[in-house]
Every structure is written in C-alpha cells, then in structure tokens.
Amino acid sequence: MPEAFIIDACRTPRGIGKQGKGALAHLHPQHLGSTVLRALKERNGIDSGDVDDIVWGTSSQVSEQSGDLGRMAALDAGYDVKASGVTLDRFCGSGITAANIAATAVMSGMEDLVIAGGTEMMSLPKKGMLPMGANNKHLQELHPQPHQGVCADAIASIEGIRRDALDAHAAESQRRAAIAIEEGRFDRSLVPVHNLDGTLALDREEFPRPGTTAESLAKLQPSFPAVADYRHEDNPTFRELVNQKFPDLEVTHVHHAGNSSGVVDGAAAILFAGEQYSKAHGLKPRARIVATANMGDCPTLMLNAPVPAARKVLARAGMTLADIDLFEVNEAFAVVSEKFQRDLELDREKVNVNGGAMALGHPIGATGAILIGTVLDELERRDKQVGLITMCAGGGMAPAIIIERV
C-alpha cells in the first residue's frame, strides 16, 4: 500500500469564543480557514492547483459556517480553482476524521496531495439546547442522547470518579499548557491571524488561565444541574434521557467551567502527500500514517468511545500501548481523559503532555487537526517516534489515528 506522509501542520491560536470578548469573534469563519490554508501553501511552496482535495471538519454547519466551508476557505485563500473541497461533520471528531479521510485517499493511490483540517467559531450564535433526535421520537426511544455535560457527569457517577480527582486533572492541564506556551512548544505550528486590513487580530493562545489550582477550581459551582433538568417543549429532560437507559443511576454533578473544555474559535490544517509526489516536488515528510480507525459506543453516555477506538487502531497497526510514545485524547470533559488513562493504565507522563482542551480550548471541528499537529511537534521536540490521537464525538463515537515520525 502506498504511504501517506504528513508534510506540515499549522493552526491559528485559539481565541475566546464569545462575541465582544474574543479576539477572533469578529472574523468570518472562512477567514480563519483561509489563514491556515494560505500558511500551508506559502510555508511549503506548493502549487495549489496540484491539491486534489481539501477535506474540512466543521461541526456546526449553520449560518456563516454553512455552504462547504472547506471549499470557500480555499477560494478565500487564493487557491487555484482546481483545488476542490468538502466539509464534513462528525461532531467533535470532525478534525481527526478529515485527516483520516485525506490520509486514506493518498494511501489508496487515488490522490497525491490532500489537505485536511477544520474550523469552528464557537462565538457564533448557537442552535439552542435540543436533545439529539428531538424531532425523531423513534430514535429518541431507541437511543436517548442527553447533553454532553450531563453525559460527563453520568460517566463520573457510574465510574465513581470524584470531583477532586477531576479538578486535580484540570489544574495539571493548565500547568502543562503554561509550560508549553512559555517554552514555545507550539511555535512551529502557530500562525497569527490578521484582520482584513492587515492589522494583527491574534498571535497567542487567549484562553489559558495560568496559575489555576485544584483549590481554586474546587470553589466553582457545577455547570450542569440546571441543564440536566431543562425541558424543551414536550421532550424529556436530559436527566430523564439518562434514566431512560440507566434507571437506577443518580447523577452526581462534578463538572464545571474549569474542568470542561474551553469555548474558543480556531482553525487548523495538515498537508498530506504521497511518496512519489513528495520526491518529485522536494517535499520533506515529517511523519507517516500508520493506521486509522473509527469506533462507536453507547450514544446515551456519548463520551466513552476513545478507549475502544484506541484499542482498535492499535490492533490495525499491529502495535501495543507500549509502542506509543505520546498520546493525545481530547479533554472534552475531565472525565473523558481521566477515564482514558485509568482504563488503559497509561503512564500519565505520556498523555496530553502540553495540556489539553481544559486549558487551551476546544474549537470543535478543528481540534482533531490541532491535536495531530501538537503530537507531531512534540515527537520531534523529544526525539520520539510514535503518537496516538483520539477524541470522543457526539452520537457516542471516536475516530483515532497513529502517526510515526519519518
């Protein structure tokens, strides 16, 4: 099978996802996408007319983020019109899924040069707090799907994971992110965002709260008790949806703003190329794709698929956990990454070593591409070889990918 190589990866800084407060919130999402696409083209000297496809992840495809954002961002970036684009939605897993599809297109031999990435501006107006399947009673009866935060609290309740452990985990994420920023560990991938008039919009991470401690987090009120009991029209509450599947479960609320992923705006992109194209055009591969996988799990708990996804992609690669130097699992909520490390009995010094979404934020459709680039940069910095990246996604899913430095 032909190889698929990662040539380069870049991303914007993450801006606070709130209108009137975030440094990127006034921009169009196509502008964020075009920023990273333009950077890939300029940094690598590629002919954009050679790009076979642009596979883009965007979860909330409404309003300004609708209308095939990947294609529109490429046009906005000045790409040749021959470079086509498609935009997909696997909820939080969209960025990894975009990368997996791009890689497999190259590995199939059908395409030579493909870009994957994603954009999410969480500062845009929201669709409202509806249960998944709210307009499909049959689906809701088969697979009740609550709000993600209520799912996180339900999982913590089932697993007996205490709030103090989750707060300690969140504080450690902030500590690691602060070190990574201070030491410039993100600098290779980070590209500044400029306004249309050329002035600087943002060139640094806007969300982190350095100095956060478990003690300060312990003072925060849980975020999801009221959400759990929210009722939209004649739909069940989110708590009732949980109890529809787990009738004896009493949900203890342990997640809050400090141990949940940050609401941010951002974009990221990865350049994939085949071996022959790379050699012919003088592109130097940084990593190769070892294996990809997708996994589904319980839609009612929603967030538990990363562990089986990791096991599946390892089996596909013919590897064991011992073969992995660095892991990235998205910190959608503290319980997700905490359970991932506990279930797989991982060395915590190999997981999310530069902090995660609790400290840096989670721009839904872009996060997967960000994590792949983060792992690649850190593998190079540490002179290590293999990284595994996975994340939970709505509907009870998780994509996964293993990369190896070249």
Side-chain angles (χ1 to χ4, degrees):
M1 180 180 294
E3 297 274 22
F5 294 115
I6 295 177
I7 306 300
D8 197 11
C10 67
R11 65 174 180 86
T12 68
R14 281 159 279 199
I16 293 171
K18 186 175 181 180
Q19 287 290 332
K21 187 174 182 182
L24 303 178
H26 65 289
L27 297 170
H28 198 287
Q30 293 169 7
H31 183 71
L32 288 194
S34 72
T35 296
V36 289
L37 288 172
R38 188 179 300 109
L40 275 190
K41 178 179 180 294
E42 293 174 353
R43 284 160 49 135
N44 297 281
I46 61 170
D47 180 348
S48 63
D50 286 349
V51 175
D52 292 303
D53 208 2
I54 296 160
V55 187
W56 215 246
T58 303
S59 182
S60 182
Q61 294 186 34
V62 296
S63 187
E64 291 96 329
Q65 293 194 157
S66 63
D68 193 353
L69 203 156
R71 169 64 169 175
M72 297 305 122
L75 294 176
D76 189 68
Y79 271 45
D80 192 299
V81 295
K82 292 183 289 186
S84 64
V86 62
T87 302
L88 58 84
D89 173 16
R90 198 195 295 274
F91 303 105
C92 296
S94 300
I96 293 180
T97 298
N100 288 355
I101 290 173
T104 52
V106 174
M107 294 167 77
S108 73
M110 293 294 102
E111 295 180 341
D112 298 313
L113 189 67
V114 185
I115 294 173
T119 303
E120 202 81 44
M121 293 196 66
M122 299 182 74
S123 57
L124 293 174
K126 303 299 183 291
K127 291 182 287 187
M129 197 162 56
L130 294 175
M132 292 187 185
N135 299 315
N136 184 348
K137 299 299 184 183
H138 179 251
L139 174 59
Q140 197 174 84
E141 290 170 2
L142 286 173
H143 296 292
Q145 298 176 62
H147 184 279
Q148 297 95 317
V150 180
C151 294
D153 285 341
I155 292 168
S157 302
I158 291 170
E159 298 290 332
I161 300 177
R162 292 162 48 97
R163 172 168 168 169
D164 57 357
L166 300 177
D167 285 351
H169 182 30
E172 177 65 7
S173 181
Q174 291 279 2
R175 187 190 73 84
R176 292 182 180 190
I179 292 171
I181 292 168
E182 183 179 355
E183 294 185 355
R185 297 184 188 180
F186 301 138
D187 289 356
R188 178 166 185 175
S189 290
L190 205 65
V191 295
V193 180
H194 291 89
N195 297 307
L196 289 175
D197 64 4
T199 59
L200 181 66
L202 187 65
D203 63 354
R204 60 176 178 80
E205 299 291 351
E206 194 175 30
F207 187 80
R209 298 293 182 268
T212 297
T213 65
E215 291 73 23
S216 65
L217 293 174
K219 299 176 183 178
L220 299 177
Q221 293 297 311
S223 295
F224 302 109
V227 174
D229 294 317
Y230 170 79
R231 188 185 303 278
H232 178 264
E233 298 176 349
D234 63 342
N235 287 285
T237 67
F238 294 120
R239 192 184 306 278
E240 288 168 346
L241 290 170
V242 171
N243 290 138
Q244 183 178 319
K245 201 77 171 180
F246 301 92
D248 299 324
L249 179 62
E250 184 174 340
V251 176
T252 300
H253 296 285
V254 292
H255 287 89
H256 51 76
N259 62 20
S260 304
S261 55
V263 176
V264 295
D265 299 329
I270 305 169
L271 180 63
F272 292 90
E275 184 173 10
Q276 290 185 349
Y277 186 91
S278 299
K279 289 180 178 178
H281 294 83
L283 299 176
K284 185 178 179 181
R286 296 174 62 190
R288 72 180 187 93
I289 307 309
V290 178
T292 69
N294 297 298
M295 179 61 81
D297 201 86
C298 172
T300 302
L301 294 179
M302 198 176 296
L303 312 175
N304 277 343
V307 169
R311 289 177 172 145
K312 183 176 181 179
V313 77
L314 284 166
R316 286 267 172 85
M319 291 180 167
T320 69
L321 291 167
D323 295 315
I324 306 301
D325 295 305
L326 293 174
F327 296 85
E328 280 285 335
V329 56
N330 187 43
E331 296 173 354
F333 299 91
V335 75
V336 176
S337 42
E338 180 67 23
K339 185 176 186 297
F340 185 81
Q341 294 175 88
R342 292 187 184 196
D343 286 2
L344 296 176
E345 299 180 344
L346 298 178
D347 178 353
R348 290 175 180 260
E349 296 304 313
K350 293 183 176 182
V351 185
N352 296 0
V353 297
N354 291 325
M358 290 186 288
L360 296 159
H362 174 27
I364 309 293
T367 301
I370 291 175
L371 297 186
I372 294 169
T374 296
V375 166
L376 178 53
D377 287 344
E378 192 63 16
L379 287 171
E380 292 174 342
R381 195 185 75 83
R382 296 184 179 217
D383 195 22
K384 299 293 185 180
Q385 289 302 118
V386 183
L388 188 157
I389 306 98
T390 187
M391 60 199 306
C392 59
M397 299 182 287
I401 186 171
I402 295 175
I403 67 171
E404 181 179 25
R405 278 182 63 206
V406 175

